[in-house]
Amino acid sequence: MGMVEDKWLEQLKERADQGMLRDVHFTAELENKVRERIQKRNPRMSFMRSGSVALAGLLLFITLWQVWPQQIEWGQSGTNPVEKPPTLLPGGVPQSPELWKPSPVVEGTVDNLTFSYLGEKPVRLITDENNIYAGQQQKFMWLLDGDFSNQVELVAHNTEGQQVELGTFEVGGGMYDSKGHFPSGLVLPTPGIWKLEVRSSGKYFGHVFIAVKSGISPSNQSLVEPLVRKFLETEEEKLGWLGKNRQITIELLRVDAPTAEKRRAYAWIRVLSENNSSGISAAMAFDVMYMGNDYRVVGFQMPEDGNRYQSSLAEIFPPDVLDMIWQRSEQPS
């Protein structure tokens, strides 16, 4: 039986070398372990008599169990192995996008002056992390350490694979405890977790993760709503028929703030005359500009009546705002 057993093991090793186990070194120690496990399972088993597929499968399974635990992670059912190759994110960081999370806020002290920042050296970011909203510009101050060029580039990536080139910036001298710094005003197009990557001389230098929210930032809400209200109280060209002392209700739907000087606000507006004898309830768009020393509404649009109503809506409002308008218009007054 020993000679037959040795020959059978030799043939099995040859089959393994030709198949999925060709990179596995079938050592004498492993061979002895397999032999011992088979004999313990049935000491009287004859290799000559069995010759069965079941026995070969048992040996292959034991071999796989010995050599694969560090290469394959088994699924929850225990039957479907799932390979887990490393994922390289921008910058060559082996990390899965599902693990992205905002960089924590850290406090530092320099010359008895305390400051807060996100990230860690060589790239740190000073900003109001609670005021970052999609489509609305936010101010950032970047702190750099290490070896960097006089100009750096900013590139943003999100977990959906979207990439946004944010521009090139001149690096100034040190600030707080950093070697260099530069300011920027940035707009991220969609909500979610974004990786803001700094590149120096075209190469990855460092990054910070931030959370971008949906909706309207408190700062834009507090800026835009009073300006819109003041404008509607005195607008005469299209709303003069409502008279004076109008009752105004404003529901802001979205604010786009591509720069610090410019805003475009979309809102559902309800205006009633003083004695409630007439009124209007409609979606409107307002252009807000910084005019030298303050902000003001410099123009507005509202949909036309009749056959042009739907087409004019599509011309004025972006798709996501249109959805909100349809939902709002279906609500009872």
Side-chain angles (χ1 to χ4, degrees):
M1 183 181 69
M3 294 179 61
V4 175
E5 178 184 345
D6 291 340
K7 183 173 181 59
W8 189 76
L9 284 170
E10 183 179 350
Q11 291 174 350
L12 183 60
K13 286 189 292 183
E14 292 176 358
R15 289 170 58 190
D17 290 339
Q18 296 171 3
M20 59 173 45
L21 298 177
R22 58 183 176 274
D23 296 325
V24 177
H25 183 51
F26 201 100
T27 63
E29 181 182 0
L30 179 58
E31 179 178 316
N32 289 333
K33 288 182 179 181
V34 172
R35 192 191 308 275
E36 290 173 3
R37 291 196 179 195
I38 294 174
Q39 290 174 349
K40 287 179 181 179
R41 180 180 178 89
N42 190 348
R44 298 179 181 179
M45 182 181 294
S46 169
F47 281 84
M48 284 290 292
R49 288 196 304 268
S50 65
S52 65
V53 176
L55 183 58
L58 173 62
L59 183 56
L60 283 172
F61 177 80
I62 294 173
T63 306
L64 288 171
W65 189 263
Q66 291 286 331
V67 300
W68 275 23
Q70 296 179 355
Q71 299 178 8
I72 290 184
E73 177 178 311
W74 292 80
Q76 293 181 354
S77 65
T79 57
N80 297 319
V82 179
E83 293 187 30
K84 297 183 67 177
T87 301
L88 294 181
L89 299 183
V93 181
Q95 186 179 21
S96 171
E98 286 75 15
L99 301 179
W100 285 12
K101 59 183 179 179
S103 298
V105 179
V106 180
E107 281 195 355
T109 303
V110 177
D111 297 331
N112 296 322
L113 181 64
T114 300
F115 65 105
S116 299
Y117 58 86
L118 306 177
E120 56 186 20
K121 296 181 179 181
V123 174
R124 293 172 292 166
L125 178 62
I126 299 176
T127 189
D128 178 4
E129 70 278 2
N130 296 315
N131 202 45
I132 307 174
Y133 286 77
Q136 298 156 70
Q137 189 184 76
Q138 172 70 3
K139 295 179 180 179
F140 297 91
M141 182 64 71
W142 299 83
L143 306 179
L144 304 183
D145 288 279
D147 296 325
F148 49 83
S149 55
N150 294 331
Q151 285 189 340
V152 296
E153 301 84 40
L154 291 179
V155 182
H157 309 266
N158 69 0
T159 53
E160 304 300 320
Q162 188 177 6
Q163 176 175 309
V164 180
E165 304 286 339
L166 298 174
T168 301
F169 301 86
E170 296 281 344
V171 181
M175 175 178 283
Y176 296 112
D177 61 346
S178 71
K179 182 180 176 181
H181 82 282
F182 67 93
S184 69
L186 304 180
V187 179
L188 282 307
T190 56
I193 304 299
W194 285 81
K195 175 185 178 183
L196 303 183
E197 178 183 320
V198 178
R199 296 179 181 175
S200 176
S201 301
K203 298 180 181 179
Y204 169 83
F205 183 74
H207 68 269
V208 177
F209 289 108
I210 62 170
V212 178
K213 303 177 183 179
S214 59
I216 302 169
S217 72
S219 58
N220 276 320
Q221 182 92 26
S222 61
L223 169 67
V224 170
E225 188 168 328
L227 295 175
V228 170
R229 183 177 299 277
K230 181 179 180 180
F231 175 81
L232 291 173
E233 287 173 348
T234 57
E235 205 285 325
E236 291 292 333
E237 182 179 351
K238 294 183 179 180
L239 301 179
W241 56 276
L242 290 169
K244 308 294 184 182
N245 301 320
R246 304 164 189 171
Q247 299 179 29
I248 299 169
T249 303
I250 301 171
E251 181 185 345
L252 285 178
L253 302 177
R254 172 172 145 177
V255 174
D256 290 338
T259 68
E261 295 79 18
K262 184 178 179 181
R263 306 282 190 281
R264 184 166 175 85
Y266 304 98
W268 187 272
I269 303 296
R270 187 181 183 190
V271 184
L272 295 175
S273 61
E274 184 176 8
N275 57 7
N276 293 335
S277 61
S278 57
I280 183 174
S281 182
M284 301 182 188
F286 302 86
D287 292 313
V288 178
M289 294 285 292
Y290 185 74
M291 305 299 293
N293 56 2
D294 61 3
Y295 287 92
R296 67 184 66 173
V297 175
V298 296
F300 90 114
Q301 292 177 283
M302 57 186 296
E304 302 177 29
D305 294 328
N307 327 356
R308 282 273 304 154
Y309 179 73
Q310 292 193 8
S311 58
S312 62
L313 271 178
E315 292 171 2
I316 298 171
F317 301 96
D320 61 324
V321 177
L322 275 176
D323 290 340
M324 289 186 276
I325 291 172
W326 291 124
Q327 294 172 14
R328 181 64 182 80
S329 61
E330 292 172 358
Q331 297 175 4
S333 302

